[in-house]
Amino acid sequence: EIFVSPDIAICDECKEELYDPKNRRYLHPFINCTCCGPRLTILDALPYDRERTSMKEFPMCPDCAKEYYDPETRRYDAQPVCCNDCGPEVYLIGRSERGRDAITYTRQVIHDGGIVAIKGIGGFHLCCDATNEEAVSRLRTLKCRPAKPFAIMAKDETVVKRECIVTPEQEAILTGHQKPILLLDRRSKEHRKENQPQSENISETRLASSVGPGNPKIGVMLPYAPVQLLIFQYDDGIEMPDLLVMTSGNTSGAPICRDDEEAVAELSHLCDAILSHDRKIRIRADDTVMDFYKNEPYMIRRSRGYAPLPFMTSVDWKGQVLAVGGELKNTFCIGVDSRFYPSPYVGDLEDLRTVKALQETIHRFRTLLEVEPQVVVCDLHPKYNSTVVAEKLGYPMLQVQHHYAHVLSCMTENDCQEPVIGVSFDGTGYGTDGTIWGGEILLADYQDFTRFGSITPFLQIGGDASAKEGWRIAVSMIYGFTKDREKAWEIIEKLGLCSEQESKVQFTMADRKINAVMSTSAGRLFDAVSAILGIRRQSSFEGEASTALQFAAEAFEQKQTSDLSERHNIRQELIFESEEHCILNTEALVQQIVEAKLQGADSGALAYLFHRTLAEQIVAACKAAREHSGRAKVALSGGVFQNRLLLRLTEEGLEQEGFEVLRHHMIPPNDGGIAIGQAAYGLYYLQNVKKEI
Ligand code: ZN
Ligand code: ZN
Ligand code: FE
């Protein structure tokens, strides 16, 4: 069994040495030891020793060598060991400052409200003062990112607690050795007053409001690379903020920059300085993003600190497969017998630079894990770049339907060997019938699946634009159930969804089926409801409209003391087409929401009722599926289940009905998680199917 260590955040002992003026590694930006430091990101090949890492270029000085060979020291056999005399060096690109001067210059620029690109462990970050409204707004303008929340790096735990509510379980992860970005609830004003009103420290947020506009949560991490600690605290007398924006250093869509050439080409125009260093990054590793659900980690993006640790399962399959994953949030996965090695986050393959990064990283992983795949597994979508990458590899190829792969991913993560009812809810996937799927009830095992049900199909008009502009979906749905231009326009006008001209264009496209596909996308359903309720007409980033809808529903739920007295005539309904297929009647649900909204019902209440009714419909569909198939295990997967309100309502509803519910924990429910499901399909195929063919 091959073990490749993920990168490990700086340990407490190294941190102490870093700030000990008597230590020979005082303020050394690359301090590390046997317990901490870069691993995967500097690795060329196995076995892991200095000769096969990017530390090869830095011969150890006699003092470091002494520690390296002495089992009594903290640096015995620590491959990246180095010091101020022999290690890599930080420098500014395009300026003369190096070492100490480069760090001071960086701190000064950030202090003065500027933006600096900083090379860390797995790539560059763009960094600025997160307490400086002007600096953050400028970064938004430069990055063409009007609203998507920025990740924050806080100086220490105390600062995180000043800004956010942190449970002991979250604190353990926050301060642990993986140092992911944690999505934490921000302290509200009321919460601040209730808790320790006397302590000035906790009474006020210092975070600039444009860090995460309108978002009740904030993504926070603590410094994990020594250089990041030095940005916060140094001996040059500059007073630094205790919160920094730390967003991936890339242009939208492209992979995170990992070397100077990429940084100069892609980041120069986004920042005032670039702080780099000469230790090469072999494999990119974006920051891991983790939410919490029921006080347990709930993975959103599994990358630095976690990848490529394998998932072990109890199956006795034999074989080697490579699964290339999906198109967005791509990760791939290598499956060897019963072990699954998910890659770090690669990114969105719509950008060809990301496609190249995928190919490179696949190659590196295959070498590291010494794998010769017997099959390559990819998505069913013929036009996905991941499918093209898979084809080019030249191995026998298997294609797996997207939502089925989501379900398999959830089954694999939970080491489930029995057939399940899969609830796979997400934005988009290519269906076996050539239409867009996205709100699916599947009967699945490792061999095959059947589509037992879905939400009501609707016409998705306008290609890519419809994925960003929920109002288009709303208009199409309203036209769909009124089946009348005049009636539809009357509603659309009252809801303020679009202009008359725009609606006419939508109607005509619908009538003539121009750029229109049948779709059961659950993500688009959320976008449409968000638009109908006047919460978000469109999204400037993926999930903006749907998460705003979720936040409105959650805010309503929190205020609500007793059960909803009035349901605004919103009923859960299921329509059965036949015994083998059911439709969750989301069309009726949308119609009822439209009517209630027009009658003046509160948008928050309707947002909540939408979540609750949809969850009830899912439960009812699962009951029908249980009756039909005898299965009582349900696997919940797909990006829509990042929505913790829907997840909770669905999970609790199912449990009340006696189902056993499987959900994700350390594998993302979104498309970042499907590769492991594809890999399981491939291994099962090698073990059980291929023999018979
Ligand atoms: Zn250490
Ligand atoms: Zn040294
Ligand atoms: Fe998906």
Side-chain angles (χ1 to χ4, degrees), residues 65-76:
K66 228 165 103 194
E67 291 174 85
Y68 178 83
Y69 290 112
D70 179 359
E72 299 297 305
T73 73
R74 295 205 304 117
R75 294 190 169 83
Y76 172 60

Side-chain angles (χ1 to χ4, degrees), residues 6 96 129 134 177 247 273 280 300 319 344 439 451 483 499 512 520 539 563 668 672 681:
S96 59
D129 179 353
E134 228 171 287
H177 62 268
T247 185
K280 293 188 178 101
I300 302 297
R451 188 189 198 195
K483 297 184 182 66
S499 71
R512 300 194 194 148
T520 51
S539 299
D563 201 36
Y681 181 85

Side-chain angles (χ1 to χ4, degrees), residues 603-647:
S603 283
L606 292 178
Y608 178 72
L609 279 172
F610 168 72
H611 279 78
R612 205 165 82 176
T613 313
L614 186 61
E616 285 166 356
Q617 289 184 327
I618 292 171
V619 173
C622 288
K623 282 167 74 179
R626 177 169 62 190
E627 224 148 85
H628 173 74
S629 68
R631 303 174 187 191
K633 244 186 205 186
V634 179
L636 304 177
S637 191
V640 167
F641 283 109
Q642 276 171 230
N643 182 325
R644 298 184 312 162
L645 176 60
L646 183 73
L647 175 60

